[in-house]
């Protein structure tokens, strides 16, 4: 994970109303995402995740490019949890709240008994993943695995659920600097 670790050195950190937000190519698409970095992270996710599943699930927006790459390499269908309703039959809505935003999200094409892996870029406050896990559980899907590229060390809303995420790296963002643990 040489490229991922090196990329953290150049990643800007911005203040979002007192929340130190890491702006990273994997999690934001800016600065520009080097294909070699995406390839490295995709390979690591595929080696880490339990891919004995029916579907890959990823939240809009920042998990999409990574989950798409994993889907292309594994031939496992991809379901994107969207931030807008389409009104399709069986669509399930959920409310997610993070340390810096809140919104509604919408799940389509996940059914009772589906075995899913959730792939995402970052586990920070855990609000998004906790809400997604609850909604998938309510649908009757089996969450086989949750894999994130980076996890901010500390408490998260996911801690209050029965679900655990595996991260490629654990970080802290403090005083404008990223530390890898």
């Amino acid at each position: 994970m040489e490229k991922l670790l090196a990329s953290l050195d150049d990643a800007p950190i911005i203040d979002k109303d007192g929340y130190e937000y890491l702006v990273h190519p994997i999690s934001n698409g800016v600065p520009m995402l080097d294909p070699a970095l995406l390839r490295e992270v995709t390979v690591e996710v595929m080696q880490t995740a339990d891919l004995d599943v029916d579907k890959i699930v990823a939240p809009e927006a920042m998990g999409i490019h990574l989950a798409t790459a994993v889907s292309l390499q594994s031939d496992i269908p991809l379901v994107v949890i969207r931030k807008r309703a389409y009104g399709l039959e069986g669509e399930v809505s959920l409310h997610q709240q993070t340390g810096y935003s809140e919104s509604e999200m919408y799940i389509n094409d996940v059914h009772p008994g589906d075995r899913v892996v959730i792939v995402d870029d970052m586990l920070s406050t855990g609000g998004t993943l906790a809400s997604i896990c609850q909604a998938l559980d309510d649908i009757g899907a089996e969450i086989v695995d949750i894999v994130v590229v980076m996890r901010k060390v500390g408490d998260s809303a996911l801690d209050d659920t029965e679900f655990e995420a595996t991260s490629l790296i654990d970080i802290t963002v403090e005083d404008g600097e990223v530390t890898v643990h």
Side-chain angles (χ1 to χ4, degrees):
M1 293 198 302
E2 182 178 309
K3 292 184 184 319
L4 177 58
L5 294 172
S7 69
L8 293 170
D9 294 335
D10 299 326
I13 297 166
I14 61 172
D15 181 271
K16 287 188 119 184
D17 298 322
Y19 180 86
E20 289 189 278
Y21 187 92
L22 173 67
V23 181
H24 188 272
I26 288 293
S27 60
N28 301 97
V30 293
M32 178 177 59
L33 178 54
D34 180 341
L37 173 58
L38 180 57
R39 187 177 306 107
E40 176 185 83
V41 169
T42 300
V43 168
E44 289 291 332
V45 167
M46 291 184 69
Q47 291 174 348
T48 302
D50 182 343
L51 296 178
D52 182 18
V53 296
D54 303 309
K55 297 171 183 172
I56 297 167
V57 175
E60 182 179 0
M62 299 327 305
I64 294 174
H65 54 283
L66 175 60
T68 298
V70 173
S71 176
L72 285 169
Q73 291 299 311
S74 65
D75 285 327
I76 300 170
L78 170 61
V79 173
V80 176
I81 299 176
R82 300 300 309 261
K83 291 182 179 178
R84 94 174 155 194
Y86 289 88
L88 300 175
E89 186 176 330
E91 184 170 74
V92 174
S93 67
L94 63 101
H95 182 80
Q96 65 91 20
Q97 183 172 349
T98 70
Y100 48 88
S101 72
E102 65 180 288
S103 66
E104 297 301 311
M105 298 183 84
Y106 303 88
I107 302 173
N108 287 285
D109 298 315
V110 176
H111 308 286
D114 282 350
R115 292 173 46 85
V116 302
V117 59
I118 301 170
V119 175
D120 204 4
D121 62 313
M122 176 78 74
L123 170 54
S124 184
T125 64
T128 300
L129 280 177
S131 296
I132 288 170
C133 288
Q134 184 61 56
L136 290 170
D137 194 50
D138 289 348
I139 289 169
E142 179 185 348
I143 301 169
V144 173
D145 205 355
I146 304 167
V147 178
V148 297
V149 177
M150 295 174 271
R151 173 182 20 218
K152 280 189 167 181
V153 173
D155 294 337
S156 92
L158 199 60
D159 297 339
D160 298 330
T161 73
E162 64 186 273
F163 305 102
E164 290 186 31
T166 301
S167 60
L168 302 184
I169 60 172
D170 290 339
I171 63 170
T172 52
V173 179
E174 195 169 18
D175 299 326
E177 293 190 19
V178 177
T179 304
V180 178
H181 300 273

